Tab-separated table of all heavy atoms in Angstrom:
chain	number	residue	atom	x	y	z
A	1	MET	N	25.617	9.756	7.107
A	1	MET	CA	24.932	11.046	7.270
A	1	MET	C	23.841	10.906	8.324
A	1	MET	O	23.089	9.947	8.324
A	1	MET	CB	24.316	11.479	5.932
A	1	MET	CG	23.435	12.713	6.040
A	1	MET	SD	22.491	13.021	4.533
A	1	MET	CE	23.752	13.709	3.487
A	2	ILE	N	23.814	11.906	9.213
A	2	ILE	CA	22.778	11.961	10.247
A	2	ILE	C	22.002	13.274	10.074
A	2	ILE	O	22.604	14.334	9.942
A	2	ILE	CB	23.397	11.959	11.661
A	2	ILE	CG1	24.292	10.729	11.867
A	2	ILE	CG2	22.302	12.042	12.731
A	2	ILE	CD1	23.567	9.440	12.094
A	3	ALA	N	20.677	13.176	10.069
A	3	ALA	CA	19.833	14.373	9.986
A	3	ALA	C	19.186	14.615	11.347
A	3	ALA	O	18.829	13.667	12.052
A	3	ALA	CB	18.752	14.185	8.927
A	4	SER	N	19.076	15.878	11.708
A	4	SER	CA	18.390	16.204	12.957
A	4	SER	C	17.615	17.511	12.774
A	4	SER	O	17.905	18.302	11.889
A	4	SER	CB	19.388	16.332	14.112
A	4	SER	OG	20.317	17.365	13.848
A	5	VAL	N	16.616	17.679	13.631
A	5	VAL	CA	15.779	18.881	13.583
A	5	VAL	C	15.783	19.524	14.965
A	5	VAL	O	15.547	18.850	15.975
A	5	VAL	CB	14.322	18.537	13.197
A	5	VAL	CG1	13.426	19.770	13.283
A	5	VAL	CG2	14.263	17.922	11.801
A	6	ASP	N	16.078	20.822	15.002
A	6	ASP	CA	15.927	21.594	16.245
A	6	ASP	C	14.455	21.950	16.371
A	6	ASP	O	13.976	22.924	15.804
A	6	ASP	CB	16.787	22.853	16.196
A	6	ASP	CG	16.584	23.719	17.442
A	6	ASP	OD1	15.828	23.308	18.349
A	6	ASP	OD2	17.179	24.803	17.494
A	7	GLN	N	13.734	21.108	17.111
A	7	GLN	CA	12.280	21.242	17.118
A	7	GLN	C	11.809	22.530	17.784
A	7	GLN	O	10.684	22.971	17.533
A	7	GLN	CB	11.662	20.031	17.803
A	7	GLN	CG	11.850	18.781	16.950
A	7	GLN	CD	11.353	17.530	17.629
A	7	GLN	OE1	11.703	17.267	18.767
A	7	GLN	NE2	10.540	16.771	16.932
A	8	SER	N	12.652	23.147	18.587
A	8	SER	CA	12.221	24.383	19.240
A	8	SER	C	11.994	25.500	18.230
A	8	SER	O	11.244	26.438	18.497
A	8	SER	CB	13.250	24.822	20.281
A	8	SER	OG	14.468	25.177	19.659
A	9	GLY	N	12.623	25.386	17.054
A	9	GLY	CA	12.453	26.426	16.052
A	9	GLY	C	11.571	26.040	14.890
A	9	GLY	O	11.228	26.876	14.049
A	10	CYS	N	11.181	24.779	14.828
A	10	CYS	CA	10.387	24.285	13.696
A	10	CYS	C	9.000	24.910	13.719
A	10	CYS	O	8.351	24.961	14.762
A	10	CYS	CB	10.280	22.766	13.778
A	10	CYS	SG	9.143	22.029	12.584
A	11	ILE	N	8.550	25.379	12.546
A	11	ILE	CA	7.217	25.987	12.443
A	11	ILE	C	6.194	25.020	11.853
A	11	ILE	O	5.057	25.398	11.589
A	11	ILE	CB	7.254	27.290	11.619
A	11	ILE	CG1	7.783	27.034	10.199
A	11	ILE	CG2	8.100	28.355	12.334
A	11	ILE	CD1	7.674	28.255	9.266
A	12	GLY	N	6.613	23.783	11.620
A	12	GLY	CA	5.659	22.761	11.180
A	12	GLY	C	5.110	22.954	9.788
A	12	GLY	O	3.983	22.536	9.509
A	13	CYS	N	5.903	23.539	8.899
A	13	CYS	CA	5.399	23.825	7.546
A	13	CYS	C	5.227	22.567	6.709
A	13	CYS	O	4.483	22.565	5.744
A	13	CYS	CB	6.320	24.799	6.836
A	13	CYS	SG	7.906	24.091	6.349
A	14	GLY	N	5.950	21.517	7.048
A	14	GLY	CA	5.806	20.249	6.344
A	14	GLY	C	6.663	20.094	5.101
A	14	GLY	O	6.619	19.044	4.454
A	15	MET	N	7.444	21.109	4.780
A	15	MET	CA	8.236	21.037	3.558
A	15	MET	C	9.217	19.871	3.584
A	15	MET	O	9.385	19.165	2.593
A	15	MET	CB	8.964	22.367	3.350
A	15	MET	CG	9.701	22.499	2.030
A	15	MET	SD	11.269	21.617	1.963
A	15	MET	CE	12.153	22.422	3.303
A	16	CYS	N	9.860	19.672	4.712
A	16	CYS	CA	10.878	18.611	4.761
A	16	CYS	C	10.241	17.236	4.565
A	16	CYS	O	10.810	16.376	3.888
A	16	CYS	CB	11.649	18.678	6.071
A	16	CYS	SG	10.633	18.629	7.553
A	17	GLU	N	9.073	17.048	5.122
A	17	GLU	CA	8.390	15.766	4.971
A	17	GLU	C	8.007	15.536	3.518
A	17	GLU	O	8.093	14.420	3.011
A	17	GLU	CB	7.150	15.725	5.867
A	17	GLU	CG	6.455	14.383	5.886
A	17	GLU	CD	5.214	14.404	6.765
A	17	GLU	OE1	4.331	15.259	6.538
A	17	GLU	OE2	5.145	13.608	7.688
A	18	GLN	N	7.603	16.601	2.835
A	18	GLN	CA	7.258	16.463	1.417
A	18	GLN	C	8.493	16.159	0.585
A	18	GLN	O	8.438	15.381	-0.370
A	18	GLN	CB	6.599	17.752	0.914
A	18	GLN	CG	5.202	17.954	1.453
A	18	GLN	CD	4.559	19.247	0.951
A	18	GLN	OE1	5.106	19.929	0.081
A	18	GLN	NE2	3.424	19.583	1.512
A	19	THR	N	9.617	16.787	0.940
A	19	THR	CA	10.838	16.622	0.155
A	19	THR	C	11.504	15.278	0.429
A	19	THR	O	12.001	14.633	-0.497
A	19	THR	CB	11.826	17.762	0.490
A	19	THR	OG1	11.187	19.009	0.239
A	19	THR	CG2	13.101	17.653	-0.343
A	20	ALA	N	11.525	14.869	1.676
A	20	ALA	CA	12.222	13.636	2.058
A	20	ALA	C	11.388	12.864	3.071
A	20	ALA	O	11.719	12.794	4.261
A	20	ALA	CB	13.597	13.974	2.636
A	21	PRO	N	10.293	12.248	2.611
A	21	PRO	CA	9.365	11.595	3.550
A	21	PRO	C	9.960	10.387	4.267
A	21	PRO	O	9.440	9.972	5.296
A	21	PRO	CB	8.182	11.192	2.658
A	21	PRO	CG	8.726	11.173	1.268
A	21	PRO	CD	9.801	12.214	1.227
A	22	GLU	N	11.045	9.854	3.739
A	22	GLU	CA	11.676	8.717	4.429
A	22	GLU	C	12.612	9.182	5.540
A	22	GLU	O	13.107	8.378	6.318
A	22	GLU	CB	12.459	7.856	3.435
A	22	GLU	CG	11.565	7.153	2.422
A	22	GLU	CD	12.377	6.330	1.435
A	22	GLU	OE1	12.915	5.299	1.836
A	22	GLU	OE2	12.466	6.753	0.266
A	23	VAL	N	12.851	10.499	5.593
A	23	VAL	CA	13.795	11.034	6.585
A	23	VAL	C	13.082	11.878	7.639
A	23	VAL	O	13.419	11.811	8.825
A	23	VAL	CB	14.884	11.877	5.894
A	23	VAL	CG1	15.886	12.423	6.915
A	23	VAL	CG2	15.598	11.065	4.816
A	24	PHE	N	12.090	12.672	7.212
A	24	PHE	CA	11.433	13.598	8.130
A	24	PHE	C	9.949	13.288	8.215
A	24	PHE	O	9.297	13.016	7.205
A	24	PHE	CB	11.607	15.047	7.644
A	24	PHE	CG	13.039	15.450	7.485
A	24	PHE	CD1	13.634	15.470	6.241
A	24	PHE	CD2	13.811	15.789	8.594
A	24	PHE	CE1	14.968	15.823	6.081
A	24	PHE	CE2	15.148	16.145	8.454
A	24	PHE	CZ	15.729	16.164	7.196
A	25	GLN	N	9.423	13.361	9.440
A	25	GLN	CA	7.996	13.163	9.640
A	25	GLN	C	7.491	14.184	10.644
A	25	GLN	O	8.140	14.450	11.665
A	25	GLN	CB	7.719	11.758	10.177
A	25	GLN	CG	7.982	10.684	9.139
A	25	GLN	CD	7.592	9.304	9.636
A	25	GLN	OE1	7.649	9.033	10.834
A	25	GLN	NE2	7.197	8.443	8.722
A	26	LEU	N	6.317	14.726	10.338
A	26	LEU	CA	5.683	15.632	11.292
A	26	LEU	C	5.002	14.821	12.377
A	26	LEU	O	4.294	13.859	12.100
A	26	LEU	CB	4.646	16.513	10.583
A	26	LEU	CG	5.197	17.644	9.718
A	26	LEU	CD1	4.039	18.426	9.108
A	26	LEU	CD2	6.077	18.577	10.507
A	27	GLN	N	5.238	15.224	13.610
A	27	GLN	CA	4.570	14.585	14.745
A	27	GLN	C	4.232	15.665	15.743
A	27	GLN	O	5.122	16.379	16.218
A	27	GLN	CB	5.475	13.537	15.393
A	27	GLN	CG	5.484	12.227	14.631
A	27	GLN	CD	6.250	11.137	15.348
A	27	GLN	OE1	6.919	11.406	16.334
A	27	GLN	NE2	6.156	9.924	14.851
A	28	GLY	N	2.961	15.801	16.027
A	28	GLY	CA	2.547	16.794	17.000
A	28	GLY	C	2.858	18.213	16.594
A	28	GLY	O	3.082	19.065	17.452
A	29	GLY	N	2.913	18.462	15.295
A	29	GLY	CA	3.088	19.824	14.806
A	29	GLY	C	4.516	20.240	14.539
A	29	GLY	O	4.746	21.341	14.045
A	30	THR	N	5.469	19.372	14.848
A	30	THR	CA	6.856	19.677	14.494
A	30	THR	C	7.467	18.471	13.797
A	30	THR	O	6.973	17.356	13.912
A	30	THR	CB	7.713	20.031	15.729
A	30	THR	OG1	7.672	18.947	16.651
A	30	THR	CG2	7.226	21.308	16.396
A	31	ALA	N	8.535	18.738	13.078
A	31	ALA	CA	9.184	17.667	12.316
A	31	ALA	C	10.188	16.926	13.181
A	31	ALA	O	10.842	17.511	14.052
A	31	ALA	CB	9.881	18.259	11.103
A	32	GLN	N	10.288	15.640	12.899
A	32	GLN	CA	11.327	14.817	13.521
A	32	GLN	C	12.102	14.134	12.416
A	32	GLN	O	11.534	13.754	11.391
A	32	GLN	CB	10.707	13.737	14.398
A	32	GLN	CG	10.108	14.265	15.685
A	32	GLN	CD	9.685	13.125	16.603
A	32	GLN	OE1	9.481	12.010	16.157
A	32	GLN	NE2	9.564	13.418	17.882
A	33	ALA	N	13.384	13.952	12.628
A	33	ALA	CA	14.203	13.196	11.684
A	33	ALA	C	14.298	11.755	12.171
A	33	ALA	O	14.243	11.495	13.378
A	33	ALA	CB	15.594	13.804	11.596
A	34	ILE	N	14.422	10.840	11.223
A	34	ILE	CA	14.641	9.452	11.613
A	34	ILE	C	15.922	9.367	12.429
A	34	ILE	O	16.841	10.156	12.243
A	34	ILE	CB	14.755	8.519	10.389
A	34	ILE	CG1	15.920	8.938	9.476
A	34	ILE	CG2	13.449	8.465	9.637
A	34	ILE	CD1	16.296	7.859	8.494
A	35	SER	N	15.968	8.417	13.335
A	35	SER	CA	17.193	8.249	14.110
A	35	SER	C	18.167	7.387	13.314
A	35	SER	O	17.764	6.585	12.474
A	35	SER	CB	16.884	7.607	15.459
A	35	SER	OG	16.262	6.369	15.267
A	36	GLY	N	19.421	7.578	13.561
A	36	GLY	CA	20.445	6.791	12.892
A	36	GLY	C	20.784	7.326	11.516
A	36	GLY	O	20.435	8.454	11.167
A	37	GLU	N	21.459	6.509	10.739
A	37	GLU	CA	21.958	6.929	9.434
A	37	GLU	C	20.824	7.165	8.440
A	37	GLU	O	19.876	6.381	8.362
A	37	GLU	CB	22.878	5.844	8.862
A	37	GLU	CG	24.259	5.812	9.477
A	37	GLU	CD	25.138	6.948	8.968
A	37	GLU	OE1	25.028	7.308	7.784
A	37	GLU	OE2	25.921	7.484	9.768
A	38	VAL	N	20.953	8.258	7.685
A	38	VAL	CA	20.045	8.494	6.570
A	38	VAL	C	20.379	7.473	5.476
A	38	VAL	O	21.555	7.319	5.123
A	38	VAL	CB	20.225	9.926	6.023
A	38	VAL	CG1	19.412	10.136	4.752
A	38	VAL	CG2	19.843	10.942	7.085
A	39	PRO	N	19.379	6.762	4.946
A	39	PRO	CA	19.663	5.811	3.860
A	39	PRO	C	20.334	6.528	2.687
A	39	PRO	O	19.971	7.664	2.366
A	39	PRO	CB	18.270	5.301	3.468
A	39	PRO	CG	17.414	5.556	4.663
A	39	PRO	CD	17.967	6.796	5.309
A	40	PRO	N	21.309	5.890	2.061
A	40	PRO	CA	22.060	6.556	0.987
A	40	PRO	C	21.173	7.147	-0.106
A	40	PRO	O	21.449	8.248	-0.602
A	40	PRO	CB	22.955	5.440	0.438
A	40	PRO	CG	23.161	4.529	1.608
A	40	PRO	CD	21.865	4.570	2.380
A	41	HIS	N	20.103	6.471	-0.465
A	41	HIS	CA	19.267	6.989	-1.553
A	41	HIS	C	18.432	8.189	-1.118
A	41	HIS	O	17.774	8.809	-1.953
A	41	HIS	CB	18.366	5.877	-2.121
A	41	HIS	CG	17.279	5.442	-1.191
A	41	HIS	ND1	17.479	4.568	-0.144
A	41	HIS	CD2	15.962	5.770	-1.132
A	41	HIS	CE1	16.345	4.374	0.504
A	41	HIS	NE2	15.408	5.094	-0.065
A	42	CYS	N	18.471	8.534	0.157
A	42	CYS	CA	17.714	9.687	0.661
A	42	CYS	C	18.615	10.877	0.966
A	42	CYS	O	18.113	11.946	1.367
A	42	CYS	CB	16.955	9.322	1.933
A	42	CYS	SG	15.742	8.018	1.732
A	43	GLU	N	19.912	10.722	0.783
A	43	GLU	CA	20.827	11.781	1.221
A	43	GLU	C	20.595	13.088	0.469
A	43	GLU	O	20.592	14.168	1.066
A	43	GLU	CB	22.279	11.319	1.071
A	43	GLU	CG	22.661	10.274	2.109
A	43	GLU	CD	24.142	9.945	2.080
A	43	GLU	OE1	24.870	10.460	1.205
A	43	GLU	OE2	24.569	9.153	2.956
A	44	GLU	N	20.424	13.014	-0.847
A	44	GLU	CA	20.236	14.245	-1.621
A	44	GLU	C	18.953	14.954	-1.202
A	44	GLU	O	18.915	16.178	-1.067
A	44	GLU	CB	20.229	13.949	-3.120
A	44	GLU	CG	21.613	13.659	-3.683
A	44	GLU	CD	22.631	14.764	-3.385
A	44	GLU	OE1	22.296	15.943	-3.588
A	44	GLU	OE2	23.733	14.443	-2.915
A	45	ALA	N	17.892	14.188	-1.003
A	45	ALA	CA	16.622	14.781	-0.591
A	45	ALA	C	16.745	15.404	0.797
A	45	ALA	O	16.188	16.480	1.061
A	45	ALA	CB	15.519	13.720	-0.616
A	46	ALA	N	17.489	14.752	1.685
A	46	ALA	CA	17.668	15.303	3.032
A	46	ALA	C	18.436	16.618	2.980
A	46	ALA	O	18.096	17.580	3.676
A	46	ALA	CB	18.403	14.284	3.915
A	47	LYS	N	19.451	16.663	2.125
A	47	LYS	CA	20.215	17.913	1.980
A	47	LYS	C	19.351	19.016	1.396
A	47	LYS	O	19.442	20.177	1.811
A	47	LYS	CB	21.422	17.679	1.064
A	47	LYS	CG	22.559	16.923	1.722
A	47	LYS	CD	23.749	16.932	0.761
A	47	LYS	CE	24.506	15.644	0.807
A	47	LYS	NZ	25.517	15.536	-0.251
A	48	GLU	N	18.525	18.657	0.425
A	48	GLU	CA	17.628	19.640	-0.187
A	48	GLU	C	16.654	20.180	0.859
A	48	GLU	O	16.413	21.396	0.934
A	48	GLU	CB	16.865	18.986	-1.341
A	48	GLU	CG	15.943	19.947	-2.076
A	48	GLU	CD	15.142	19.251	-3.175
A	48	GLU	OE1	15.537	18.159	-3.616
A	48	GLU	OE2	14.109	19.815	-3.568
A	49	ALA	N	16.117	19.305	1.684
A	49	ALA	CA	15.188	19.744	2.725
A	49	ALA	C	15.883	20.697	3.693
A	49	ALA	O	15.316	21.714	4.102
A	49	ALA	CB	14.624	18.534	3.468
A	50	ALA	N	17.130	20.361	4.056
A	50	ALA	CA	17.866	21.227	4.979
A	50	ALA	C	18.097	22.606	4.365
A	50	ALA	O	17.964	23.638	5.032
A	50	ALA	CB	19.200	20.576	5.354
A	51	ALA	N	18.426	22.612	3.075
A	51	ALA	CA	18.706	23.887	2.401
A	51	ALA	C	17.448	24.738	2.277
A	51	ALA	O	17.530	25.971	2.272
A	51	ALA	CB	19.312	23.626	1.020
A	52	ASN	N	16.298	24.081	2.192
A	52	ASN	CA	15.063	24.816	1.923
A	52	ASN	C	14.202	25.059	3.157
A	52	ASN	O	13.176	25.740	3.056
A	52	ASN	CB	14.234	24.056	0.878
A	52	ASN	CG	14.901	24.069	-0.483
A	52	ASN	OD1	15.645	24.986	-0.811
A	52	ASN	ND2	14.647	23.051	-1.279
A	53	CYS	N	14.585	24.543	4.299
A	53	CYS	CA	13.796	24.792	5.515
A	53	CYS	C	13.719	26.300	5.758
A	53	CYS	O	14.750	26.974	5.833
A	53	CYS	CB	14.448	24.104	6.711
A	53	CYS	SG	13.654	24.525	8.279
A	54	PRO	N	12.521	26.844	5.861
A	54	PRO	CA	12.384	28.306	5.950
A	54	PRO	C	12.979	28.905	7.220
A	54	PRO	O	13.258	30.110	7.259
A	54	PRO	CB	10.865	28.532	5.884
A	54	PRO	CG	10.259	27.234	6.289
A	54	PRO	CD	11.217	26.163	5.826
A	55	VAL	N	13.169	28.090	8.238
A	55	VAL	CA	13.749	28.615	9.482
A	55	VAL	C	15.102	27.963	9.813
A	55	VAL	O	15.637	28.129	10.906
A	55	VAL	CB	12.762	28.478	10.667
A	55	VAL	CG1	11.624	29.479	10.529
A	55	VAL	CG2	12.213	27.060	10.771
A	56	SER	N	15.628	27.204	8.853
A	56	SER	CA	16.993	26.644	8.952
A	56	SER	C	17.239	25.874	10.248
A	56	SER	O	18.246	26.080	10.926
A	56	SER	CB	18.027	27.763	8.806
A	56	SER	OG	17.872	28.432	7.575
A	57	VAL	N	16.306	24.981	10.571
A	57	VAL	CA	16.492	24.199	11.808
A	57	VAL	C	16.846	22.737	11.524
A	57	VAL	O	16.926	21.934	12.455
A	57	VAL	CB	15.240	24.267	12.718
A	57	VAL	CG1	15.055	25.677	13.252
A	57	VAL	CG2	13.999	23.770	12.018
A	58	ILE	N	17.061	22.413	10.250
A	58	ILE	CA	17.501	21.052	9.915
A	58	ILE	C	19.022	21.044	9.828
A	58	ILE	O	19.613	21.894	9.155
A	58	ILE	CB	16.908	20.588	8.572
A	58	ILE	CG1	15.384	20.534	8.666
A	58	ILE	CG2	17.484	19.230	8.178
A	58	ILE	CD1	14.697	20.222	7.336
A	59	HIS	N	19.613	20.095	10.518
A	59	HIS	CA	21.078	19.978	10.509
A	59	HIS	C	21.470	18.614	9.943
A	59	HIS	O	20.859	17.603	10.267
A	59	HIS	CB	21.629	20.162	11.919
A	59	HIS	CG	21.254	21.490	12.495
A	59	HIS	ND1	21.816	22.671	12.071
A	59	HIS	CD2	20.326	21.831	13.420
A	59	HIS	CE1	21.263	23.669	12.729
A	59	HIS	NE2	20.343	23.193	13.551
A	60	ILE	N	22.472	18.642	9.111
A	60	ILE	CA	22.999	17.428	8.499
A	60	ILE	C	24.447	17.265	8.957
A	60	ILE	O	25.245	18.189	8.819
A	60	ILE	CB	22.956	17.534	6.958
A	60	ILE	CG1	21.531	17.813	6.450
A	60	ILE	CG2	23.560	16.294	6.320
A	60	ILE	CD1	20.591	16.649	6.530
A	61	ASP	N	24.758	16.114	9.502
A	61	ASP	CA	26.139	15.849	9.940
A	61	ASP	C	26.673	14.615	9.227
A	61	ASP	O	25.936	13.742	8.843
A	61	ASP	CB	26.183	15.620	11.455
A	61	ASP	CG	25.741	16.868	12.212
A	61	ASP	OD1	26.334	17.927	11.993
A	61	ASP	OD2	24.786	16.739	12.995
B	1	SF4	S1	10.988	22.386	6.765
B	1	SF4	FE1	11.828	23.193	8.709
B	1	SF4	S2	10.150	24.390	9.613
B	1	SF4	FE2	9.256	23.118	8.010
B	1	SF4	S3	8.530	21.283	9.107
B	1	SF4	FE3	10.592	20.834	8.343
B	1	SF4	S4	11.995	21.381	10.032
B	1	SF4	FE4	10.003	22.334	10.460
């Protein structure tokens, strides 16, 4: 699983970082996803963050 954030649409609410701090981090006011594979124990949290992002800019592949 790979997580990514379309930073052009991110409003910096911080929800994803709270939900999955090992996957998403705020930097400079927008969220970034870790590069590479999401650790297996973080997959559910990453999916939850994607589902709950208020502007739907988190993508899971
Ligand atoms: S939940 Fe969405 S809008 Fe909020 S910081 Fe994360 S990517 Fe940005």
Side-chain angles (χ1 to χ4, degrees):
M1 173 190 283
I2 303 284
S4 61
V5 174
D6 177 3
Q7 291 175 309
S8 66
C10 172
I11 59 172
C13 72
M15 187 283 300
C16 55
E17 186 181 55
Q18 288 180 8
T19 303
E22 294 179 71
V23 181
F24 303 101
Q25 290 185 330
L26 285 181
Q27 280 187 351
T30 58
Q32 288 188 339
I34 59 164
S35 58
E37 283 284 324
V38 173
H41 70 280
C42 299
E43 288 187 356
E44 285 305 313
K47 284 187 217 171
E48 182 183 341
N52 292 332
C53 173
V55 288
S56 302
V57 293
I58 297 174
H59 301 288
I60 303 287
D61 297 304

